[in-house]
Amino acid sequence: MRSDAKKNYDQLLEVARKVIAEQGVNASLRDVARQAGVGIGTLYRHFPTREALLETLLGASFDQVTNQAAAYESSKTSDRALASWLRDMVALTYDHRGVIAAMTAAIEDEQSALHGACVLLKASGARLLAKAQAEGRARADIDGTDLLALVSALAWLNDQPPFAARVDRLFGLIAGAIMIPSA
Amino acid sequence: MRSDAKKNYDQLLEVARKVIAEQGVNASLRDVARQAGVGIGTLYRHFPTREALLETLLGASFDQVTNQAAAYESSKTSDRALASWLRDMVALTYDHRGVIAAMTAAIEDEQSALHGACVLLKASGARLLAKAQAEGRARADIDGTDLLALVSALAWLNDQPPFAARVDRLFGLIAGAIMIPSA
DNA sequence: ACCTGAACACCGTTCAAGT
DNA sequence: ACCTGAACACCGTTCAAGT
């Protein structure tokens, strides 16, 4: 990448990070380009889709949760590992209003730039769930998609002003419904 | 209302019902006016906000769930009444993609044309919850807002294609977490 | 009393023209 | 190789002008 291009690229990312933190994932891309002092075409050149921009912004965080899940597997009991993953997932979406809907859509859209990272994320949770189920610490009648649905629902609640303050309590209620208390 | 105005009004509602069923609650109002063969200004004259249009379209259904809740109170045991209300709420939003987000926003926005109906809806659920709690059939550590959050989350899941098919199962899981099994 | 649609201020996205 | 911004096809919303 030419150095002038690199400069624009970095500037776009910096501004996008700020704007998306403030206005959510559906913020105006035109506005991002404007604030970055760059033509709108330059934004599209570097990030052909909104998902591509999000992937660049958040991909590392996604991967970190995926990797963390693997680490939990060897460092925690299966039920605690699962609970930690759930917590990490909610935290991942915490500061990015609307990202959970984008992730949900990406799971089904193989063309999405977010698809890969989201599929790995889902698989990392499914693995922890399976282990907890094998040890009788999680109810057996749900699968990885159900688990993802439940965390996604919590993440969505967190985006809704009237409900955001109760997410911690509701997290407990839902985690409690997934887990089986030890005898 | 003059008869020509009434005709436009009815036509707008009919088209809006169709378009919103197809494209969801955030469908283009311009498109609605266009398909109704009416100027965009006429739509705004009859329905000054999107919420006003939604209220006219869905208000009766909202009220019906509210009233149904009161009926459950005298015809069912408190836990069955609560479960039926939860089911009614999910059904209410079933065919209207995005309506749950509008309802959630309306709860906080006293200016919203949907505010009144949503507050009543919430109160009707809170009442059933309180009764079930008083009888020891629902966990005591949640309130009406939590209950609304949980149904809202289910309704949101229902709007997400990858999760829609599991809402029934997840409904059971969440209802089970709210209710206390009888001894 | 009611209707119309131009006008304004925005979008997302593409692409010819420039350097 | 990269950047720009006009151009196109859309929005939501308002309001002067018409009947």
Side-chain angles (χ1 to χ4, degrees), chain A residues 100-101 104-105 107-108 139 141-150 152-154 156-157 160-163 166 169-170 172-174 177-178, chain B residues 100-101 104-105 107-108 139 141-150 152-154 156-157 160-163 166 169-170 172-174 177-178:
Chain A
I100 193 63
T104 299
I107 284 278
E108 282 213 323
R139 53 194 290 167
D141 64 344
I142 62 175
D143 64 10
T145 300
D146 294 324
L147 183 71
L148 188 65
L150 291 169
S152 298
L154 284 168
W156 179 81
L157 286 175
Q160 311 302 310
F163 302 139
R166 354 278 281 201
R169 181 136 28 95
L170 298 175
L173 183 142
I174 288 178
I178 296 171
Chain B
I100 193 62
T104 299
I107 285 278
E108 283 214 321
R139 54 192 290 168
D141 64 343
I142 62 176
D143 64 12
T145 302
D146 294 324
L147 184 71
L148 188 66
L150 290 168
S152 298
L154 285 167
W156 179 79
L157 286 174
Q160 311 303 310
F163 301 139
R166 354 277 281 201
R169 180 136 31 94
L170 298 176
L173 182 142
I174 287 177
I178 295 171

Side-chain angles (χ1 to χ4, degrees), chain A residues 1 13 16 26-27 30 32 38 56 59 63-64 73-74 84 93 127-129 141 143-144 152 158 168 178 181-183:
Chain A
M1 185 150 50
L13 273 187
N26 296 308
R30 267 187 127 98
V32 170
V38 143
T56 306
D63 295 347
Q64 208 204 322
E73 223 173 324
S74 52
S84 295
T93 62
R127 211 173 143 72
L128 294 178
L129 174 65
D141 64 344
D143 64 10
S152 298
N158 202 60
D168 277 349
I178 296 171
S182 52

Side-chain angles (χ1 to χ4, degrees), chain A residues 35-100:
Chain A
Q35 287 194 45
V38 143
I40 181 67
T42 301
L43 185 150
Y44 275 90
R45 154 171 276 267
H46 287 300
F47 307 104
T49 63
R50 188 182 291 271
E51 286 73 31
L53 175 57
L54 291 176
E55 209 282 324
T56 306
L57 280 177
L58 304 174
S61 306
F62 286 26
D63 295 347
Q64 208 204 322
V65 173
T66 299
N67 294 332
Q68 191 65 258
Y72 291 152
E73 223 173 324
S74 52
S75 70
K76 299 187 185 242
T77 60
S78 65
D79 52 345
R80 293 181 72 95
L82 185 53
S84 295
W85 182 84
L86 288 169
R87 226 177 297 274
D88 287 353
M89 284 293 285
V90 175
L92 178 60
T93 62
Y94 210 86
D95 301 314
H96 299 95
R97 217 182 328 146
V99 75
I100 193 63

Side-chain angles (χ1 to χ4, degrees), chain B:
Chain B
M1 186 149 50
R2 244 162 56 177
S3 78
D4 55 342
K6 168 82 170 141
K7 203 171 142 194
N8 283 336
Y9 180 88
D10 291 343
Q11 182 64 15
L12 276 167
L13 272 187
E14 189 181 322
V15 171
R17 181 156 273 130
K18 192 196 68 176
V19 170
I20 284 178
E22 284 166 3
Q23 324 206 14
V25 149
N26 296 307
S28 160
L29 296 180
R30 267 188 128 98
D31 197 30
V32 170
R34 212 151 32 210
Q35 287 194 44
V38 140
I40 180 69
T42 301
L43 185 150
Y44 274 91
R45 155 171 276 267
H46 287 299
F47 307 104
T49 62
R50 187 181 293 271
E51 287 73 30
L53 176 57
L54 291 176
E55 209 284 323
T56 306
L57 281 176
L58 305 175
S61 306
F62 284 27
D63 295 345
Q64 207 203 323
V65 172
T66 297
N67 294 332
Q68 190 67 258
Y72 290 153
E73 222 173 323
S74 52
S75 71
K76 298 187 185 241
T77 60
S78 65
D79 52 345
R80 292 181 73 94
L82 185 54
S84 296
W85 182 84
L86 288 169
R87 227 178 298 273
D88 288 352
M89 284 292 286
V90 175
L92 179 60
T93 62
Y94 210 86
D95 300 315
H96 299 96
R97 217 182 328 147
V99 77
I100 193 62
M103 292 169 66
T104 299
I107 285 278
E108 283 214 321
D109 178 7
E110 295 179 17
Q111 305 312 311
S112 170
L114 290 170
H115 180 72
C118 290
V119 166
L120 289 178
L121 218 38
K122 179 184 171 182
S124 74
R127 212 174 142 70
L128 295 179
L129 174 64
K131 201 179 170 205
Q133 286 172 325
E135 296 181 7
R137 309 301 291 267
R139 54 192 290 168
D141 64 343
I142 62 176
D143 64 12
T145 302
D146 294 324
L147 184 71
L148 188 66
L150 290 168
V151 255
S152 298
L154 285 167
W156 179 79
L157 286 174
N158 203 60
D159 279 353
Q160 311 303 310
F163 301 139
R166 354 277 281 201
V167 167
D168 277 349
R169 180 136 31 94
L170 298 176
F171 179 95
L173 182 142
I174 287 177
I178 295 171
M179 254 62 97
I180 295 172
S182 51

